Amino acid sequence: MTNTASAINVKGYTTPRAFSGFQIPVTLQSLAIRRYCEDRGFVFNIHANENITPDSYLVLKSVIEDSRQYQAVAMCSIGMLPQDRRLRTELLCQALANGMSIHFVFEQMVVVSPENFTTLDELTSLCNLVPTDLQQIKSLQESADYE
Amino acid sequence: MPRDSYLTADDEVLGNKFLAEGFVVRPCESLDVLHSLHDSILRDANSWLRSQGIKQTISDLRNSHTSIPNSLVNDIRLHLFAKLNVDSGVRRGYFGLAASLIQSLVGNELAMQNKVNLSVQQPQDQTSILQMHSDVWTGDSPFQVVLWVPLTDSTATNAMFLLPPMESRDAYSRARAGELHSMAEIHDAYMNHVKLIDVPYGSVLIFDSNCLHGNQLNTTSASRWSLNCRVASLLAPSTTPERRLGPYYTPVMIRPATLMGLRAIEQLGLSEQ
């Protein structure tokens, strides 16, 4: 993963669905992406918002296919990508093949080549593995007590 | 029966001191990187001043208040913070300032906060006072430590203060019991027990962010500039989705056995359960 410094045309991508344990208003997601672009001297293009249907990536696919206008797509988190690894890899490969990099604002990560997929997959797996709320921690404590 | 511990004698001593006092101060492990961070922040600060039409640039961060009016401190701080974090190499360099110390205190599989933060506290600046607080009380992982590195000598009232672990736990118990009703009451009840932590330039501070801490009005004649970033064990649980692995921390050290396990979990289909 690297950071790129040259001025590029970035398309924002937001979702009305929950991701990574968050439910963030689309306007705030867009604001975070806009700020990320400003900090790096990128040109921000108004976000495309995904459909609310679970596991739908119709909008993301369209953004990736529309590579004539954009050199990158930016979204808040890797948690917005498909959980299914094959679908995720397919989308990322298509983006790269179209000359787009993929930026993740919260994680401060940029996918610029297939070599970056491993890092992204590992982080996704770790995020799914590590308990992230008090209820999960309590369950762990209860199982430890039981043992 | 005492628990087994295979830590080295040095790590035992260090760990016991950290648990008792809530912090340790040690020499920086990479002075070249520290100087380079210092110089690049100074350079960027002066560029920003020039872009704002301010002619008097900063020659020494300790005297930044002679160039930056307190009304502009937060503007320049946010600008420098953003610039600092555009460079993906900064986190690696920052980690190297205390890599061995962090591994002794936290472990050898680590996740680090995604951004390095910058604080500036100029003399008599009311706007930069950070009231007594605990990161963990507001959602950070209880398993994290904070690596805090001054870019100027940090001493007397331009230093940060910390309430030791025992007193911090006591404060929380009293607040939960309804005896203390606000952070202001906690501040008043415990301010006499806090410790101002002197950290000279060239040293690093690691502290337990379960402990209450903050800063006060800088009544010295010198500005204090410092960086901070949080580190936790890679597989430590979080308490809120916002401050979790991914959006808040990303891995900086993963050992082969963990990668092996992740692959096995996926191969066996266990991750889908």
Side-chain angles (χ1 to χ4, degrees), chain A residues 3 22 85 106-107 127 130-131, chain B residues 88 114 238 242 244 246 266:
Chain A
N3 288 111
F22 299 121
R85 186 175 177 168
F106 293 170
E107 291 86 3
C127 289
V130 177
Chain B
S88 57
N114 297 343
S238 309
E242 188 183 345
R244 63 173 294 189
E266 186 170 339

Side-chain angles (χ1 to χ4, degrees), chain A:
Chain A
M1 306 275 169
T2 59
N3 288 111
T4 45
S6 58
I8 54 172
N9 226 3
V10 178
K11 183 65 177 174
Y13 172 71
T14 59
T15 181
R17 305 198 296 259
F19 60 92
S20 308
F22 299 121
Q23 183 86 51
I24 304 177
V26 166
T27 48
L28 296 184
Q29 292 178 48
S30 186
L31 206 62
I33 299 166
R34 181 189 295 266
R35 179 64 189 262
Y36 175 90
C37 291
E38 281 172 6
D39 288 346
R40 287 158 179 77
F42 298 161
V43 179
F44 171 77
N45 289 263
I46 190 74
H47 62 272
N49 197 25
E50 188 54 83
N51 297 318
I52 199 161
T53 316
D55 299 322
S56 167
Y57 295 95
L58 296 175
V59 175
L60 181 57
K61 284 176 186 166
S62 300
V63 168
I64 289 170
E65 284 165 9
D66 199 8
S67 60
R68 285 164 302 171
Q69 296 186 59
Y70 313 115
Q71 291 87 53
V73 55
M75 63 190 81
C76 280
S77 173
I78 62 167
M80 292 165 66
L81 292 173
Q83 282 295 300
D84 181 276
R85 186 175 177 168
R86 270 174 297 187
L87 178 57
R88 186 168 69 232
T89 305
E90 193 181 305
L91 282 172
L92 293 173
C93 280
Q94 194 183 347
L96 293 177
N98 291 352
M100 298 172 97
S101 53
I102 307 98
H103 297 240
F104 304 98
V105 174
F106 293 170
E107 291 86 3
Q108 301 270 299
M109 282 182 171
V110 189
V111 171
V112 294
S113 82
E115 287 170 10
N116 302 142
F117 293 174
T118 309
T119 308
L120 195 138
D121 289 339
E122 283 166 6
L123 182 55
T124 304
S125 301
L126 282 166
C127 289
N128 291 334
L129 186 72
V130 177
T132 52
D133 64 49
L134 292 171
Q135 194 53 48
Q136 284 176 294
I137 294 171
K138 203 175 162 196
S139 303
L140 283 177
Q141 280 171 338
E142 281 166 359
S143 9
D145 289 346
Y146 180 74
E147 284 161 9

Side-chain angles (χ1 to χ4, degrees), chain B residues 197-247:
Chain B
I197 307 174
D198 284 352
V199 190
Y201 177 69
S203 290
V204 303
L205 160 70
I206 292 185
F207 70 89
D208 169 0
S209 59
N210 288 282
C211 294
L212 288 157
H213 60 278
N215 62 37
Q216 54 192 311
L217 186 66
N218 179 359
T219 57
T220 73
S221 58
S223 294
R224 184 258 288 167
W225 290 58
S226 59
L227 299 167
N228 69 79
C229 193
R230 287 145 184 79
V231 183
S233 176
L234 179 70
L235 299 176
S238 309
T239 54
T240 62
E242 188 183 345
R243 306 292 169 91
R244 63 173 294 189
L245 194 62

